[in-house]
Amino acid sequence: DTGVSQDPRHKITKRGQNVTFRCDPISEHNRLYWYRQTLGQGPEFLTYFQNEAQLEKSRLLSDRFSAERPKGSFSTLEIQRTEQGDSAMYLCASSFGESQPQHFGDGTRLSIL
Amino acid sequence: RKEVEQDPGPFNVPEGATVAFNCTYSNSASQSFFWYRQDCRKEPKLLMSVYSSGNEDGRFTAQLNRASQYISLLIRDSKLSDSATYLCAVSLGGFKTIFGAGTRLFVKA
């Protein structure tokens, strides 16, 4: 199965620590998205890459959040100085073209103690 | 007003029942529409795209009403395994896709 993969699946850390998540999209997909989802809500858009270019960032993405996609393949999402409110499922998705359906990875569930 | 709205439910239906969900969107420029299924603590999985003329995939039928700005999902002959949260997604074109908060469905024996 060559779907979207995310690592780690779960991350538990203390408040104030930095965390980094990785996403490997479907290989032929040039568009990559990061979302955050909390209980009872749909996925909320965080940021978007087309190839290696980060083309859009949500206002939800504070300066503690940074994302990269250095070679237009995998992407990383880093959260610095984590806060309790950062606890959520972080989802990565990829798609082949504009307005095409997005395919999600398993997500990384972040818990801040 | 939220850009994409769904009735959170839950919808509790017996096996074999037909159930329908609606999803309203606020931006008339929306171009593409999708239904996703999400099981508890899992990622959303694409169920089907929604085409202007309506489309069917087995027991699932999706329809788009541009005039009233909503999409619908109809599930016939519900199975226990259909129990999940159903998310609608609306794309404005380009990168932006907005997801609804989902409608929870419980199918009971």
Side-chain angles (χ1 to χ4, degrees):
Chain A
D1 183 0
T2 56
V4 179
S5 63
Q6 291 187 245
D7 182 70
R9 294 290 303 278
H10 304 274
K11 180 70 177 177
I12 301 172
T13 192
K14 292 182 179 179
R15 188 173 47 144
Q17 297 296 304
N18 299 344
V19 294
T20 301
F21 310 142
R22 177 181 170 123
C23 171
D24 287 86
I26 294 171
S27 57
E28 58 267 29
H29 288 183
N30 61 350
R31 288 166 163 79
L32 186 148
Y33 313 79
W34 284 98
Y35 292 88
R36 180 171 65 189
Q37 187 176 26
T38 53
L39 194 63
Q41 300 299 315
E44 293 179 294
F45 171 78
L46 292 178
T47 191
Y48 158 69
F49 290 85
Q50 185 170 328
N51 299 310
E52 68 276 8
Q54 187 175 19
L55 297 186
E56 188 69 24
K57 290 171 62 172
S58 166
R59 285 168 293 177
L60 291 175
L61 215 65
S62 77
D63 57 5
R64 296 185 298 106
F65 288 71
S66 61
E68 294 182 342
R69 194 183 183 196
K71 297 181 180 179
S73 55
F74 74 92
S75 175
T76 57
L77 177 68
E78 181 182 17
I79 310 174
Q80 295 183 324
R81 306 181 303 281
T82 51
E83 301 173 356
Q84 292 230 315
D86 297 332
S87 295
M89 172 80 94
Y90 290 84
L91 292 161
C92 176
S94 68
S95 70
F96 183 66
E98 186 173 307
S99 298
Q100 293 300 304
Q102 297 174 25
H103 297 270
F104 286 86
D106 292 341
T108 294
R109 185 169 296 280
L110 174 64
S111 298
I112 307 298
L113 302 178
Chain B
R1 181 185 173 188
K2 289 184 179 179
E3 292 182 87
V4 176
E5 289 197 85
Q6 296 184 252
D7 180 344
F11 285 62
N12 293 290
V13 302
E15 268 187 300
T18 295
V19 62
F21 313 132
N22 282 345
C23 166
T24 59
Y25 59 94
S26 60
N27 194 323
S28 59
S30 299
Q31 297 183 10
S32 304
F33 308 88
F34 310 96
W35 283 103
Y36 285 79
R37 172 201 167 115
Q38 187 170 28
D39 293 295
C40 188
R41 301 180 73 84
K42 298 283 191 178
E43 79 279 16
K45 290 187 188 289
L46 180 68
L47 183 63
M48 58 199 303
S49 302
V50 186
Y51 302 121
S52 297
S53 56
N55 48 298
E56 190 174 302
D57 183 0
R59 297 182 294 108
F60 299 84
T61 300
Q63 292 194 312
L64 166 63
N65 185 318
R66 284 195 183 273
S68 300
Q69 294 184 200
Y70 73 87
I71 62 173
S72 64
L73 178 68
L74 181 81
I75 306 175
R76 289 182 300 276
D77 188 24
S78 299
K79 311 291 184 192
L80 295 175
S81 57
D82 293 333
S83 297
T85 296
Y86 291 84
L87 302 168
C88 66
V90 176
S91 172
L92 299 177
F95 71 91
K96 191 169 185 182
T97 297
I98 308 295
F99 287 82
T103 297
R104 295 176 69 191
L105 171 66
F106 293 103
V107 180
K108 299 184 176 181

